Amino acid sequence: MDLRVNLELIKGFLDPEEGRALYEQARSVAHVGPCLEIGSYCGKSTVYLGAACRETGNTLFAIDHHRGSEEHQVGEAYHDAALYDEARKQVDTFGVFRQTMALAELETTVVPIVAPSTVVGRHWQTPLGLVFIDGGHSASAAHSDYETWAPHVQIGGLLLIHDVFPDPADGGRPPFEIFERALAEGPFVQVAMVKTLAILQRIT
Ligand code: MG
């Protein structure tokens, strides 16, 4: 796994074991189609997925409005003052994200898309080999990400969902809810669960 950057220096909320799983899963779908992630933040998950795409000649679309999720806003649990633009009174993670992509030598593999994911989805027509949902954790954000992007996963392709907590005591419900929806509505089956990363495959 050639990441070309020290991941400990990149801000984010991804466990190294989950990161390795992202890398391995992305490596396995190059023949199915390009990869797409929702929720790049400072680019930590993007480095794992992107490294796999670079090695396989694939492309990674990285969607994020770069204004931070609910929990990143001022006064919230995961607010980071270093990622806050005081003059404009808004979170801005795009500068740091671009820096991460340059350090990891991913600028010819990763296509950053700076917009809300549902806006990107309105006219999306490219079939996908892998979709990684790690955007907003509100019910509306998680469910609309699922509804927008799951249908683009091709047969044999993968749907990955981060922050899936089967026990409500461990974390918020929406990522777990969309994980259950994908299993109930099909045509997805569970391949593995690596910590809080659910890995599903489209079978028909
Ligand atoms: Mg996450």
Side-chain angles (χ1 to χ4, degrees):
M1 186 167 65
D2 177 18
L3 302 177
R4 302 191 187 178
V5 67
N6 180 359
L7 266 290
E8 285 174 21
L9 303 178
I10 311 299
K11 294 179 181 186
F13 312 95
L14 186 75
D15 180 277
E17 212 177 302
E18 295 172 337
R20 175 166 278 280
L22 287 179
Y23 167 82
E24 285 167 358
Q25 297 302 326
R27 275 209 54 120
S28 75
V29 295
H31 63 290
V32 184
C35 299
L36 180 143
E37 77 168 357
I38 302 116
S40 301
Y41 195 56
C42 296
K44 187 171 255 186
S45 55
T46 323
V47 169
Y48 286 102
L49 293 168
C53 288
R54 177 176 52 218
E55 288 169 23
T56 54
N58 206 353
T59 297
L60 170 62
F61 298 98
I63 301 173
D64 198 312
H65 47 56
H66 288 287
R67 294 300 183 207
S69 297
E70 304 85 349
E71 70 275 18
H72 301 133
Q73 304 308 315
V74 176
E76 299 299 326
Y78 292 94
H79 179 67
D80 183 339
L83 298 170
Y84 188 69
D85 184 336
E86 272 295 339
R88 294 187 172 80
K89 299 287 177 213
Q90 57 194 0
V91 173
D92 187 352
T93 54
F94 187 48
V96 174
F97 173 81
R98 289 199 79 184
Q99 195 176 22
T100 306
M101 292 306 98
L103 285 171
E105 299 174 17
L106 285 172
E107 289 178 308
T108 55
T109 299
V110 173
V111 180
I113 303 179
V114 185
S117 84
T118 50
V119 175
V120 182
R122 270 184 219 153
H123 294 95
W124 191 269
Q125 294 197 18
T126 302
L128 297 167
L130 180 152
V131 167
F132 174 46
I133 298 180
D134 191 23
H137 289 9
S138 67
S140 65
H143 284 272
S144 61
D145 282 341
Y146 166 74
E147 288 160 12
T148 301
W149 297 104
H152 293 291
V153 177
Q154 297 305 286
I155 295 171
L158 301 168
L159 175 65
L160 276 52
I161 305 170
H162 195 222
D163 303 307
V164 171
F165 296 105
D167 183 347
D170 296 331
R173 304 316 286 150
F176 179 71
E177 288 167 11
I178 63 171
F179 161 71
E180 292 222 294
R181 266 185 83 180
L183 289 177
E185 295 169 3
F188 292 97
V189 295
Q190 185 173 341
V191 173
M193 180 77 84
V194 178
K195 297 204 166 176
T196 72
L197 177 69
I199 300 167
L200 307 169
Q201 184 170 38
R202 180 168 176 181
I203 48 167
T204 55

